[in-house]
Amino acid sequence: MDTFPSAHPAPTRTGLPTGNRRRVATAAALASAVEWYDYFVFGIAAALVLGDLYFPSGSSTAGVLAAFATFAVGFLARPIGGVVAGQLGDRRGRKPMLVLALTLMGIATTGIGLLPTYDTIGVAAPVLLVLLRVVQGVAVGAQWGGAMLLATEYAPEGKRGLYGSVVQLGVPIGVVSANTVFLLAGAFTSDSAFAAWGWRLPFLVGLFVLGLAWYIHRHVEETPEFRKAEQELAEKEKAEKELAEQEKTEQDKAGRNSPLRTILRGHLGTVFLAGGSFAVNTATFYILITGVLDYTTRDLGMKKDAVLTVSLCVSLTQLVLIPAAAALSDRVGRIRIYALGAAGIALWAVPMFLLIDTGSLLWLAVGTFVAGCFLSIMYGPQAALFAELFTPEMRYTGASLGYQIAAVLGGGLAPFVMVLLLEATGTSMAVSGYIIALAVIALVSIKVLAGRVRSR
């Protein structure tokens, strides 16, 4: 049965060594995992300690809002990383941009772990925190496209969804790792020691990212699809030169060879539809791992370690669900699986918060587990789906822009919006309504996107 319809099927890759494929897939998965780990530790810290340490005020709500606003700044920076890395990645290769993204993330995360607080250096502390968060955002915006394309462009025929899911697994692995390190830091320190220095330990793990960047630089080859596209482009330019097409101006040539300009001129609608289809997933995800952590500990009086443990366990189940959904999409079609996940999120938004509001750890686990299942159903095929929307010479740029637009519209603002809605309405049903509205946008975007691609 056909997979998600694409006007640009992948070239045959059956001749690639299996060991090489596995090494590249493993490197892409590890790159995604450590990058997301570094990104998520900020979200957990924002919900637990950063408000008091870097944005002191008389109101705990104001401090949390300031910390979540800083969290959102990283998302606003992600499209910058996606555009810059996309341009260079479509011209210079996927691997160099992935190595650069990992290096930036390692430096920024370690810097946050070493950053003095407001009490030590005053207003410079929050300013530097925001700047380092911007660097994190640029890094993760650049990373996803590179890791995703390393995996999918090395995939054997009929398994692009499954191979793409190894990069998607970086998200639950990052969540599990971040929660585990925070739990360990809390277990081996007192509350006062954790607030003073224990929270820094998860950030200092960012040093290991630099080692992974070095490994990928030394041992991972460029993808075959990029090499093929690069060769075809060189041959085309040579043929055009031989035909003496001197009438074309340098500006026309730059426009033809610029992936970003190609996207803006002919594929911007596809980019926005892709972003609209995925915003509900990223918004719900960050509501669960940061917004709910703040809500349950500050408003419902639940224990921090217990809530972190629930989040960790739910993320472990996603390690199975994400590749299962991706493999199923290889057989029955990406659009069907993707739309099923979006519909499930819409239907579960109200029951989920009714369960969370009980203040019971068991019902919190049930509510977030079911939501995690629907998120996994969407997230599994998403990498392959976005890759298939664009040709290789503009794929890094197009797929990255679609993903990062969703991150800005959904994930970056979601915890901040959640706190505002709770303060303004006094009920979590307002947050459910926010999720449902994004799910409706997603389903409409998916329908339009599918019709556009089929019409090709």
Side-chain angles (χ1 to χ4, degrees):
M1 191 172 295
D2 291 340
T3 58
F4 183 84
S6 173
H8 316 294
T12 302
R13 295 176 290 275
T14 54
L16 295 174
T18 301
N20 194 33
R21 282 201 186 105
R22 290 175 179 171
R23 183 171 67 253
V24 171
T26 301
L30 286 173
S32 178
V34 297
E35 191 92 346
W36 285 117
Y37 165 85
D38 282 6
Y39 202 67
F40 292 148
V41 293
F42 191 100
I44 296 173
L48 297 177
V49 296
L50 294 185
D52 292 335
L53 295 176
Y54 290 92
F55 305 97
S57 66
S59 167
S60 61
T61 300
V64 170
L65 281 172
F68 279 163
T70 306
F71 179 69
V73 166
F75 287 83
L76 296 177
R78 281 170 63 167
I80 299 173
V83 169
V84 174
Q87 283 279 91
L88 296 174
D90 282 330
R91 287 178 167 179
R92 304 296 183 185
R94 291 35 170 141
K95 187 182 79 170
M97 293 304 101
L98 181 57
V99 171
L100 177 61
L102 290 169
T103 303
L104 287 175
M105 181 62 84
I107 293 172
T109 304
T110 304
I112 293 172
L114 298 174
L115 185 64
T117 64
Y118 186 93
D119 288 341
T120 304
I121 60 173
V123 72
V127 171
L128 290 173
L129 182 67
V130 170
L131 290 176
L132 290 170
R133 182 59 178 170
V134 167
V135 176
Q136 277 195 321
V138 171
V140 82
Q143 171 271 144
W144 182 80
M148 178 270 291
L149 292 178
L150 274 181
T152 58
E153 291 186 349
Y154 263 103
E157 294 293 341
K159 293 187 177 181
R160 176 174 263 173
L162 180 61
Y163 269 64
S165 71
V166 303
V167 175
Q168 309 297 73
L169 287 176
V171 170
I173 292 173
V175 173
V176 168
S177 302
N179 284 336
T180 300
V181 174
F182 265 101
L183 284 170
L184 291 174
F188 289 101
T189 59
S190 64
D191 289 344
S192 59
F194 180 82
W197 56 267
W199 67 271
R200 297 181 182 275
L201 299 178
F203 286 91
L204 298 180
V205 177
L207 287 169
F208 292 103
V209 179
L210 301 177
L212 180 60
W214 176 86
Y215 174 84
I216 292 175
H217 173 68
R218 292 294 301 271
H219 299 286
V220 174
E221 299 177 359
E222 189 53 79
T223 71
E225 285 196 25
F226 176 78
R227 293 198 302 266
K228 182 174 182 292
E230 190 175 40
Q231 181 181 358
E232 290 176 348
L233 182 60
E235 292 174 352
K236 180 180 178 181
E237 290 178 346
K238 182 179 179 181
E240 289 176 349
K241 186 176 181 180
E242 291 174 351
L243 291 173
E245 292 184 355
Q246 301 296 334
E247 69 274 14
K248 292 187 179 292
T249 64
E250 289 301 318
Q251 183 177 1
D252 290 336
K253 290 179 181 178
R256 184 181 66 248
N257 294 332
S258 169
L260 179 60
R261 187 166 297 184
T262 301
I263 291 290
L264 294 178
R265 285 180 173 178
H267 304 272
L268 192 57
T270 301
V271 168
F272 278 111
L273 287 170
S277 74
F278 194 62
V280 65
N281 187 289
T282 187
T284 306
F285 174 77
Y286 284 104
I287 284 173
L288 291 179
I289 69 165
T290 57
V292 168
L293 177 59
D294 169 65
Y295 177 57
T296 53
T297 55
R298 189 163 57 91
D299 292 355
L300 301 183
M302 300 179 72
K303 298 294 185 182
K304 173 194 69 178
D305 289 353
V307 177
L308 286 173
T309 301
V310 168
S311 179
L312 186 153
C313 293
V314 169
S315 295
L316 284 173
T317 65
Q318 292 181 307
L319 296 177
V320 176
L321 294 171
I322 287 175
L328 186 61
S329 78
D330 283 328
R331 300 182 60 185
V332 305
R334 317 235 189 271
I335 199 69
R336 295 178 183 177
I337 304 302
Y338 198 63
L340 175 63
I345 293 172
L347 294 173
W348 188 246
V350 170
M352 177 178 72
F353 270 100
L354 289 176
L355 294 175
I356 292 172
D357 284 344
T358 64
S360 163
L361 198 63
L362 173 62
W363 291 122
L364 169 68
V366 172
T368 54
F369 168 73
V370 175
C373 290
F374 291 124
L375 293 178
S376 300
I377 289 172
M378 278 193 80
Y379 202 58
Q382 184 253 345
L385 190 155
F386 277 29
E388 290 169 352
L389 294 176
F390 306 96
T391 54
E393 66 273 9
M394 61 176 173
R395 183 172 289 158
Y396 201 138
T397 303
S400 292
L401 272 177
Y403 189 92
Q404 304 313 332
I405 285 173
V408 172
L409 297 178
L413 297 175
F416 186 85
V417 170
M418 179 177 174
V419 174
L420 287 180
L421 289 173
L422 289 171
E423 287 294 312
T425 66
T427 173
S428 62
M429 290 300 100
V431 185
S432 297
Y434 170 59
I435 294 174
I436 292 171
L438 289 176
V440 170
I441 293 172
L443 290 169
V444 172
S445 298
I446 292 168
K447 183 176 179 60
V448 176
L449 190 62
R452 278 192 174 194
V453 177
R454 288 194 184 100
S455 69
R456 297 176 184 174

